[in-house]
Amino acid sequence: MRELLNIALPKGRLGEKVYARFAEAGYPCPLVLENSRKLIFENEEAGVRYFWVKPSDVAIYVERGAADIGVAGKDILLEYAPAVYELADLDVGKCRMAVAAKKGWRDDTERTLRVATKFPNIARSYYAGKSREIELIHLNGSIELAPILGMSDVIVDIVETGTTLKENDLEPIEDIVPISARLIANRVSYQFAQAQLDALRDALVRG
Ligand code: PRP
C-alpha cells in the first residue's frame, strides 16, 4: 500500500470551499463533508487523508510534518512565519488586513498610538515601517471592542465584508496587506515528493 498524502484543511466555511477544490482536482474523499464530529478521513483509492484543523493551527501541523500539505491564510503565515513552503495562492478566502478606528477619529502623531490586535507581529512591523511608536494590546478576539471602550486608538484586524466594523461604528482607515488562502507544504515532504505535490498544486490552481 502506498503512503497516503496527509492534508490539513481549515475547519469551517473556507475549508469546505477548499475541499471542493481538492475533490475537483482529483483528490476526493466524500466522507469529509459528512456532518459528524470526526476530524480525520481517508480515501485510500485517491491516496489522501484529510484532517479538519482550527484554521490558525494549520501551519503548525504542516511545519511539524503531521500534515504534508495544508491550506492557511496569508495572515497566519505573515504573523507566525512558519518554516513551510508556500506553493500557491488559491485565490479564495480573500480579505484584507487593515487598520480601523472609531468613525471620525483623528490621529495625533505626537502621541504613542495604542493598537489592539490578534496579530502583534503584523502590527509591529507595519508601524515600524512607518517609524511610528505604538503600544501593543494583544487580544484574542472581539478586537472591535477595544476602541469603542477607549482601550485602544485603533485596531489591526481582518476586514472581509466590512460588516463587523460598520455594526460597531468603526471604519477602515488604512489597508496593510491583501489576504487569501495559500497552499503550504512541509519542507521535508516537498523534498521527497516534489513531483507529486507540484502536480497537486497545478491541478488545484487550474481548478
Ligand atoms: C474576523 C475579523 C472580524 C471579522 C471581519 O473575525 O476579526 O471580526 O472577521 O469580517 P467582516 O468584515 O466580513 O465583518 P472571524 O470571523 O475570523 O472570527 P474570530 O474573531 O474568532 O477570528
Side-chain angles (χ1 to χ4, degrees), residues 54 118-119 140-144 157-166:
K54 188 178 156 103
K118 248 188 319 198
F119 301 95
N140 297 298
S142 302
I143 316 298
E144 294 81 5
D157 201 10
I158 283 175
V159 180
E160 190 180 353
T161 60
T163 310
T164 310
L165 293 180
K166 209 174 276 163

